[in-house]
Amino acid sequence: MFKFSLHPGKTNIDFLRYRIAALVFTALLTVATIGLVVGKGLNFGIDFTGGVLVEVETSGPADLGAMRDALGDGSFGDVSLQNFGADNAVLIRLGQDAGEGDAQGRMVEALRQTLSEKVDPNIQIQRAEFVGPKVGQELIEGAVIAFVVAIAAMMIYVWFRFEWQFGVGAVAALFHDVIMTIGMYAVTGYEFNLTSVAAVLTIIGYSLNDTVVIFDRVRENLRKYRDMTILELLNRALNDTLSRTIMTGFTTLIALFALYFVAGSALAGFTFAMIAGVFIGTYSTIFIAVPILVYLNLQKRQRGRVGTDGNGDGEAEAEVKA
């Protein structure tokens, strides 16, 4: 009987054969991505730019063109519209400060009245949100602090659990993950908001989890195998954990693709970043975090309870050749 399996079985892929090319490619791509983000910029959401976000519901399928024409006379500032879930639900973002108190209510009422007269007399306002420019600036600062604190905390965790070389490798991979994920927002034009910040932080956690699993196998191999070169040892660790990496990534992608195609545009930016993050995080673990260990003089002497075959009970010194 035919059996379908994603488990690759025992593999012996020489990942580190391509370490120099991978690190050079990664460095160039990272610099290019930073340039893209700085040059093109991100499509910041109302959380960061400030303004008014209004969700409306029409009596039939929404005519975004007619709505855009009705609101495009300049009285509402910069206007952007997009479908939100159902074909009669529309998110309207106004890049104009509505002021406070009654001024906010008057702007929403003016928007409803304009759309009622020019597009659909039965249009209804479902919700309205207001964010001032000062709040948006504070949220940007908070997002940056969240990224820095998350990466620093994870570096400290890896450093204490393993050795400082592992911490450096992990942080290099996480820095790559953050830059690449933000770059995806710049390329695709998806709105970057607080949900996007949550997506990036989630990707950091996913990537670190995969990295720690492989680092744990590297540390175990350092104590088990005496005659392996450091390249052979790291390759063995990557191959030993490859099936786990594939299965974890595949099952995560199943859930994310379902969310992307079913949840609608409201979560499209979040799920797209998460889908890209699975691939980005897996790549950074294999081709950044682990190869960096080769160049950081990873401790070659470990003392542990190993026997003559690497699994015995005697106390011995395991030496890994450089």
Side-chain angles (χ1 to χ4, degrees):
M1 180 181 293
F2 174 75
K3 294 178 65 177
F4 174 75
S5 175
L6 291 173
H7 193 293
K10 188 68 175 178
T11 60
N12 189 29
I13 303 173
D14 189 1
F15 291 103
L16 294 179
R17 176 182 180 183
Y18 310 101
R19 66 187 184 281
I20 297 177
L23 291 175
V24 171
F25 169 76
T26 299
L28 294 175
L29 184 61
T30 301
V31 171
T33 303
I34 293 174
L36 175 66
V37 172
V38 173
K40 181 180 179 181
L42 297 172
N43 178 25
F44 285 109
I46 188 176
D47 298 329
F48 298 124
T49 61
V52 183
L53 184 68
V54 182
E55 180 186 345
V56 301
E57 187 174 292
T58 58
S59 57
D63 186 344
L64 295 184
M67 297 175 70
R68 192 173 289 108
D69 292 339
L71 301 174
D73 59 0
S75 60
F76 295 98
D78 295 331
V79 180
S80 64
L81 301 91
Q82 68 179 78
N83 280 112
F84 181 71
D87 59 2
N88 67 331
V90 180
L91 275 180
I92 305 174
R93 188 177 68 186
L94 309 178
Q96 175 177 311
D97 187 5
E100 299 181 357
D102 294 339
Q104 297 175 347
R106 287 195 296 271
M107 172 172 280
V108 174
E109 178 58 28
L111 182 144
R112 187 200 64 78
Q113 186 173 353
T114 299
L115 293 177
S116 296
E117 293 174 354
K118 298 182 178 181
V119 180
D120 184 353
N122 297 317
I123 198 166
Q124 296 181 355
I125 303 293
Q126 299 299 319
R127 65 183 175 97
E129 298 179 5
F130 308 89
V131 178
K134 182 178 180 181
V135 174
Q137 182 62 34
E138 292 175 351
L139 290 175
I140 292 177
E141 295 173 358
V144 172
I145 292 173
F147 290 144
V148 173
V149 170
I151 292 178
M154 291 179 181
M155 178 179 182
I156 294 172
Y157 164 74
V158 175
W159 190 338
F160 276 93
R161 178 169 177 177
F162 300 99
E163 298 177 38
W164 68 268
Q165 293 96 332
F166 292 93
V168 172
V171 168
L174 295 180
F175 178 79
H176 164 270
D177 297 342
V178 171
I179 296 299
M180 290 298 107
T181 305
I182 294 177
M184 295 299 295
Y185 278 99
V187 170
T188 60
Y190 276 117
E191 184 178 285
F192 191 84
N193 48 34
L194 287 181
T195 304
S196 307
V197 174
V200 176
L201 292 175
T202 304
I203 291 168
I204 290 175
Y206 176 91
S207 177
L208 182 69
N209 179 68
D210 193 32
T211 301
V212 166
V213 169
I214 296 177
F215 280 178
D216 197 55
R217 184 57 61 92
V218 171
R219 182 175 61 178
E220 178 183 339
N221 288 351
L222 281 169
R223 296 174 176 172
K224 287 173 63 176
Y225 302 107
R226 305 179 181 185
D227 299 324
M228 279 189 180
T229 66
I230 193 67
L231 293 178
E232 292 172 338
L233 187 143
L234 294 177
N235 266 321
R236 185 180 182 95
L238 288 170
N239 281 280
D240 287 348
T241 56
L242 184 60
S243 61
R244 180 261 178 202
T245 299
I246 292 175
M247 294 303 297
T248 301
F250 181 76
T251 53
T252 303
L253 287 173
I254 291 176
L256 289 174
F257 275 114
L259 192 62
Y260 182 80
F261 290 110
V262 174
S265 59
L267 291 177
F270 174 84
T271 51
F272 176 80
M274 289 296 299
I275 290 170
V278 171
F279 294 100
I280 292 170
T282 302
Y283 169 86
S284 67
T285 298
I286 296 175
F287 292 107
I288 299 178
V290 174
I292 283 179
L293 298 179
V294 177
Y295 303 102
L296 293 179
N297 295 320
L298 182 64
Q299 182 178 342
K300 301 181 180 63
R301 289 181 179 273
Q302 296 282 343
R303 302 191 68 88
R305 299 184 63 84
V306 294
T308 57
D309 61 352
N311 296 299
D313 297 325
E315 181 72 22
E317 181 184 87
E319 180 178 346
V320 180
K321 296 181 181 179

